[in-house]
Amino acid sequence: MTLFLQQWYGELLKLFARQRTYIGFGAFVALEILILLLIKKFGMGPIQKAIVGSGQSFEYYFSALTVASTIMGFAIFLLGALFLSLVAGDIVAKEGEDGHMRLLLARPVSRFRLLLLKYLTCTGYAFLLVQFFAWTSFFLGLILRGWGGGYFAIVPEVSVVAFYDWGPGLARYALSSLYLGVSMTVISSIAFFLSCFRIKPAAATIGALTYVLVDFIMRNSGFMENYQHLLVTKHMAAWGRILAENIDWPLVWRGYAVIVAVNITLFTLGYAVFESRDLKS
């Protein structure tokens, strides 16, 4: 186990030695600052209407938590999909393209172990990126509104609208960010699976991003109304149920059972493809 952790640490060092790894962090911070400036200048029109329309005090519920949740809702899926696909689509394909994979396999390490380390690295990155976005959004919300107030949580995809005081709201925000991090690992898994083929890293990235966006468009178009259980973005949205005042745990666990099954399946298929490749000639 100690050797495994050392090897994983080495993979993480390689990942964070690449400049493109930090593009997602920088883009999220830039977007957060931009949205913060727009909120200060123009206010939160739709959110204000929703709060007031529910008979609640906008001044009380216009808090750091509400601001952070609004910023997350604007960007986490589309920007997250882009940068997670970029990193995970590169993690195997790039080393195969550069010839580094042959050097790695010259050592006494199995292909399964090597691939597992890389998979854990890109899924760990997905979770870290989501947490970074969640808590930097919260920090910027604190700059704008300070500590305290209420929390207005709205997730239209799962029809969740809820109001919390500060303490319970902060706890629910933190819990939902953890579940969101797990949801976003699906995107990394898709890009990782494509990266196991003999293709360019850019092809793996574009392929994963295309699949996720097509899935998202089909889900929101209405054409798949009776077959949404076949769309991965439907199950990814299960994190939003954590923000409901009364959490429907059976639906949450069902969504995450599908997510875990998809991740395991994609890793297994990726390993099968990777194992069949001739990397040493």
Side-chain angles (χ1 to χ4, degrees):
M1 179 58 72
T2 300
L3 180 59
F4 182 86
L5 293 176
Q6 289 176 346
Q7 291 171 336
W8 190 14
Y9 177 70
E11 287 293 335
L12 290 170
L13 286 179
K14 285 197 295 183
L15 176 66
F16 285 97
R18 298 172 181 169
Q19 293 182 347
R20 69 178 60 188
T21 302
Y22 299 94
I23 296 176
F25 295 101
F28 276 140
V29 170
L31 177 67
E32 289 164 355
I33 294 173
L34 176 60
I35 294 177
L36 184 66
L37 293 174
L38 291 175
I39 290 175
K40 290 186 69 174
K41 184 172 179 62
F42 300 107
M44 298 179 65
I47 299 298
Q48 182 175 359
K49 289 180 181 178
I51 294 174
V52 174
S54 299
Q56 303 294 333
S57 168
F58 175 69
E59 186 62 28
Y60 179 69
Y61 285 101
F62 181 29
S63 66
L65 286 170
T66 302
V67 170
S69 188
T70 302
I71 294 174
M72 289 270 287
F74 281 153
I76 188 61
F77 180 76
L78 293 178
L79 278 184
L82 173 60
F83 296 115
L84 294 180
S85 297
L86 178 65
V87 170
D90 182 82
I91 199 164
V92 176
K94 181 64 175 175
E95 292 195 356
E97 182 184 49
D98 294 343
H100 296 163
M101 197 64 71
R102 277 185 279 181
L103 179 61
L104 290 173
L105 293 174
R107 299 183 176 186
V109 58
S110 67
R111 292 193 180 195
F112 177 81
R113 188 186 186 99
L114 178 62
L115 213 61
L116 179 60
L117 288 165
K118 292 186 176 297
Y119 180 74
L120 291 176
T121 299
C122 65
T123 52
Y125 173 81
F127 190 81
L128 176 63
L129 186 64
V130 171
Q131 292 304 302
F132 175 84
F133 189 36
W135 294 107
T136 51
S137 297
F138 176 68
F139 177 73
L140 288 175
L142 288 177
I143 294 175
L144 178 65
R145 297 296 296 172
W147 189 269
Y151 175 29
F152 172 60
I154 178 169
V155 186
E157 295 111 319
V158 290
S159 303
V160 167
V161 177
F163 295 88
Y164 297 99
D165 291 327
W166 180 260
L170 182 58
R172 196 61 69 90
Y173 179 81
L175 183 62
S176 67
S177 74
L178 297 177
Y179 278 84
L180 177 58
V182 176
S183 292
M184 296 299 285
T185 61
V186 174
I187 299 174
S188 290
S189 295
I190 296 170
F192 176 86
F193 164 68
L194 295 175
S195 184
C196 293
F197 287 83
R198 192 185 296 274
I199 59 177
K200 298 287 186 181
T205 298
I206 294 171
L209 188 59
T210 300
Y211 177 86
V212 173
L213 291 179
V214 169
D215 190 291
F216 177 76
I217 292 168
M218 293 299 295
R219 182 183 168 215
N220 288 278
S221 66
F223 294 115
M224 297 286 289
E225 185 66 32
N226 297 323
Y227 302 95
Q228 288 203 6
H229 60 281
L230 301 176
L231 302 176
V232 68
T233 52
K234 165 70 174 179
H235 302 288
M236 289 173 64
W239 73 273
R241 299 187 186 278
I242 301 298
L243 293 173
E245 292 183 3
N246 297 307
I247 302 175
D248 191 343
W249 286 111
L251 284 179
V252 173
W253 294 128
R254 184 173 70 180
Y256 280 94
V258 173
I259 287 173
V260 171
V262 168
N263 285 348
I264 293 174
T265 301
L266 289 171
F267 173 77
T268 303
L269 292 175
Y271 169 69
V273 170
F274 187 72
E275 182 69 26
S276 67
R277 291 175 55 186
D278 181 8
L279 296 166
K280 297 182 181 179
S281 63

